Amino acid sequence: MIKLNIQQQMAVQSNTRITYVDAGAGTGKTTTLIARVIECIKLGVKPWNIVVLAFNNKIVEELKKKFTEELGIKRAEKINIYTIHGYARKILANKVFIKKELFDEDIFETFVRKSWSKFKKINKLKGKNPKDTKDETSFVISMVSKCRENNSNVKDYDEKYRLFYKEFQKELKQTGAYDFARLLKVAKNKLPQSTEPLYVFVDEFQDTSEARFNFIKKLVGDTNYLFTVGDENQQILEWSGIKNINTEKLKKYYKQELSIYKLEYSYRLTPQLAEISNKLLSVMPNGTTKRLIGINNAKSVFDIKKFNDAKKEENWCINYIKDLIRKDVKPQNIGVLYRNENIINQAILNTKVHLSTIHKAKGLEFDYVILLGLEEGVFPYKNSNIEEELRVLYVGITRPKKSLIITYLHNCYRNKTYVKGSRFLRYIT
């Protein structure tokens, strides 16, 4: 039996065709989605008419496990639980349509390299030197990936890259092979017809690209149901072509039949840590009205430590971790987070705590979090989108359940670069 708070109950009992649950960090969005699925089944919806779309295979497996625990294995197995691309492939496989190769990331990258080399040769384009050629090829691979996910990205590039992308599209189609974007494009025109409505559920909605949103929109159509959960303040995948626009698109496209529910009670955060997060939310450019209410009653710690030497920061970090472990804190309950990997050295790696970039830590939680390197050029990262960098910071500071300590260097060198405290510090102090 899933216990729900009043906000979750209201979302689960939504009686509109389209529902968006705007869920803050640690507020139980996946629990709410699962409860809504169970509610639908109780009301007579057949499990095989339910489609649950998750962001990656790991989440798919976690959802399958949770549904099995709540519904039993027989009913849980009948629910369609896939990644968006996995469900698209299922549709085409059922129609004996997909016989060609499905590109994985490495094969796709190799194909782009060959296509770009051919394009340069035909158009007599040359790099200034081998290093420039290598860098430009990497740039082109990134550009193609972004544009395949969001076609609106094409306009952001110079004419020669736009021309290449147009030629690349033709070449890809001629091969008959499928990358993920083509898979969605073809599958949305081959959707199964049913006399009964589908009930579509989408987890992590903020991470849907333009291509994925168009697929979902076609799947829902004019008669099927859509229940989505997400948090636009945790959209941190712009580097991969996913822009923070689909929540707004959802609101505009389904304006007449959309209900929006907020989840603000954070089971992860203490009142103190929720207040730090709310300070950052108050300066978010999207003008969110959502706030976090920390209901974790643990005694919590928040501190910001300034160092004038990278070695002193490293020594403090190692000693702090050792002290926690001496107090019987398990290493897996300690997270050392950072914006990019070049500020982590071997000594910190040897502590065997959970080390990952903030991007990789999204969705995870720890009792104790150390967030390293809140410095200009490091965090926010140089030449990055400041709005997205704010969202990355928000993800980082909403991971801890008991303690958050942020460190930064000021007026000294990190990796031979002179640094000072980040502009973001004023938002959380």
Side-chain angles (χ1 to χ4, degrees):
M1 182 72 176
I2 298 176
K3 292 183 179 180
L4 303 174
N5 64 43
I6 185 64
Q7 290 185 332
Q8 292 170 329
Q9 287 174 10
M10 289 176 66
V12 166
Q13 293 166 7
S14 171
N15 58 8
T16 54
R17 191 171 77 91
I18 312 295
T19 302
Y20 173 59
V21 180
D22 186 7
T27 57
K29 62 180 178 54
T30 303
T31 297
T32 304
L33 184 147
I34 292 170
R36 172 69 172 189
V37 171
I38 293 170
E39 179 72 8
C40 287
I41 292 173
K42 284 181 180 177
L43 293 173
V45 177
K46 306 290 192 307
W48 52 86
N49 286 329
I50 293 173
V51 179
V52 180
L53 302 177
F55 183 71
N56 58 38
N57 287 319
K58 181 184 176 183
I59 298 173
V60 166
E61 293 308 311
E62 289 173 357
L63 285 169
K64 286 180 178 179
K65 182 180 177 182
K66 288 177 180 177
F67 278 120
T68 299
E69 291 170 356
E70 294 293 332
L71 295 169
I73 192 166
K74 287 187 177 180
R75 279 200 292 181
E77 283 181 342
K78 293 176 182 177
I79 301 173
N80 297 282
I81 309 172
Y82 293 91
T83 63
I84 293 177
H85 296 107
Y87 187 64
R89 192 172 190 184
K90 176 182 183 292
I91 290 168
L92 295 184
N94 286 347
K95 290 186 171 289
V96 199
F97 189 82
I98 183 165
K99 295 180 179 178
K100 296 287 184 179
E101 179 181 28
L102 176 64
F103 284 167
D104 65 21
E105 191 173 327
D106 291 336
I107 298 172
F108 182 72
E109 186 174 305
T110 299
F111 185 81
V112 176
R113 286 180 186 277
K114 289 180 178 177
S115 184
W116 172 242
S117 179
K118 178 181 173 183
F119 178 82
K120 286 199 301 180
K121 188 174 181 180
I122 291 172
N123 291 279
K124 298 180 180 178
L125 302 176
K126 294 181 179 179
K128 294 178 182 177
N129 56 52
K131 183 180 183 301
D132 288 344
T133 301
K134 182 180 178 181
D135 289 346
E136 188 175 37
T137 300
S138 298
F139 172 81
V140 167
I141 291 168
S142 174
M143 181 268 293
V144 170
S145 296
K146 288 181 179 180
C147 293
R148 294 294 285 168
E149 288 289 356
N150 275 30
N151 196 55
S152 58
N153 286 326
V154 177
K155 67 179 184 301
D156 297 334
Y157 294 92
D158 292 343
E159 185 179 359
K160 75 171 179 179
Y161 299 118
R162 295 200 302 269
L163 180 60
F164 166 68
Y165 184 67
K166 187 176 181 180
E167 293 301 314
F168 170 82
Q169 300 265 62
K170 292 178 184 177
E171 191 172 349
L172 179 64
K173 191 172 182 179
Q174 288 170 359
T175 67
Y178 289 77
D179 69 332
F180 285 142
R182 187 178 178 220
L183 185 66
L184 295 182
K185 189 174 182 180
V186 174
K188 73 182 175 131
N189 295 318
K190 300 288 179 179
L191 296 174
Q193 301 300 312
S194 174
T195 55
E196 297 178 321
L198 278 181
Y199 289 75
V200 180
F201 295 79
V202 182
D203 193 19
E204 301 287 3
F205 183 76
Q206 78 280 349
D207 291 332
T208 53
S209 64
E210 183 180 44
R212 297 174 203 184
F213 179 68
N214 288 338
F215 176 78
I216 292 166
K217 196 165 62 174
K218 189 70 182 288
L219 181 62
V220 173
D222 297 325
T223 57
N224 295 329
Y225 292 79
L226 176 64
F227 187 93
T228 70
V229 295
D231 183 1
E232 56 195 289
N233 294 308
Q234 294 190 65
Q235 199 288 300
I236 57 172
L237 297 177
E238 195 163 309
W239 57 271
S240 67
I242 297 175
K243 290 185 176 180
N244 192 27
I245 56 175
N246 281 333
T247 304
E248 290 305 313
K249 279 188 175 182
L250 182 81
K251 292 174 184 177
K252 289 178 182 177
Y253 189 80
Y254 294 111
K255 185 177 181 180
Q256 301 302 320
E257 47 189 345
L258 172 67
S259 290
I260 299 175
Y261 298 88
K262 293 179 186 177
L263 299 187
E264 298 173 302
Y265 294 102
S266 179
Y267 295 91
R268 178 187 307 147
L269 300 178
T270 65
Q272 180 188 21
L273 296 178
E275 185 55 34
I276 303 303
S277 303
N278 287 334
K279 286 181 180 180
L280 194 60
L281 284 174
S282 69
V283 298
M284 289 288 195
N286 62 17
T288 181
T289 58
K290 183 171 77 260
R291 292 292 177 265
L292 294 175
I293 303 166
I295 57 175
N296 173 3
N297 292 322
K299 183 180 179 181
S300 61
V301 173
F302 172 67
D303 196 8
I304 298 176
K305 292 189 174 294
K306 177 173 73 173
F307 296 92
N308 59 10
D309 180 87
K311 190 66 179 176
K312 290 179 181 178
E313 179 194 53
E314 175 193 321
N315 289 337
W316 172 85
C317 183
I318 293 168
N319 289 332
Y320 178 72
I321 291 168
K322 287 179 178 178
D323 187 50
L324 287 175
I325 292 172
R326 276 195 298 268
K327 294 176 181 176
D328 294 327
V329 176
K330 294 180 180 178
Q332 61 264 35
N333 290 332
I334 305 170
V336 178
L337 307 182
Y338 40 92
R339 174 60 181 84
N340 54 28
E341 293 171 342
N342 62 11
I343 73 168
I344 294 296
N345 56 34
Q346 191 60 44
I348 295 178
L349 288 171
N350 290 341
T351 62
K352 297 183 178 168
V353 297
H354 195 108
L355 281 149
S356 52
T357 62
I358 294 174
H359 286 85
K360 291 178 182 177
K362 185 181 171 192
L364 302 179
E365 61 183 21
F366 309 93
D367 286 342
Y368 300 85
V369 166
I370 305 164
L371 200 163
L372 298 175
L374 205 62
E375 301 136 16
E376 284 297 309
V378 177
F379 200 168
Y381 192 56
K382 55 187 177 183
N383 302 322
S384 292
N385 180 323
I386 293 299
E387 292 183 15
E388 175 148 350
E389 292 293 290
L390 279 170
R391 295 195 294 270
V392 176
L393 178 58
Y394 173 74
V395 169
I397 68 175
T398 55
R399 297 309 96 197
K401 296 194 286 185
K402 292 182 179 179
S403 173
L404 171 64
I405 299 181
I406 294 172
T407 74
Y408 70 99
L409 303 185
H410 190 68
N411 290 342
C412 62
Y413 287 89
R414 186 187 290 281
N415 296 335
K416 299 180 181 180
T417 300
Y418 196 76
V419 295
K420 63 180 181 177
S422 169
R423 73 190 80 173
F424 290 168
L425 285 165
R426 68 178 183 267
Y427 298 142
I428 54 176
T429 53

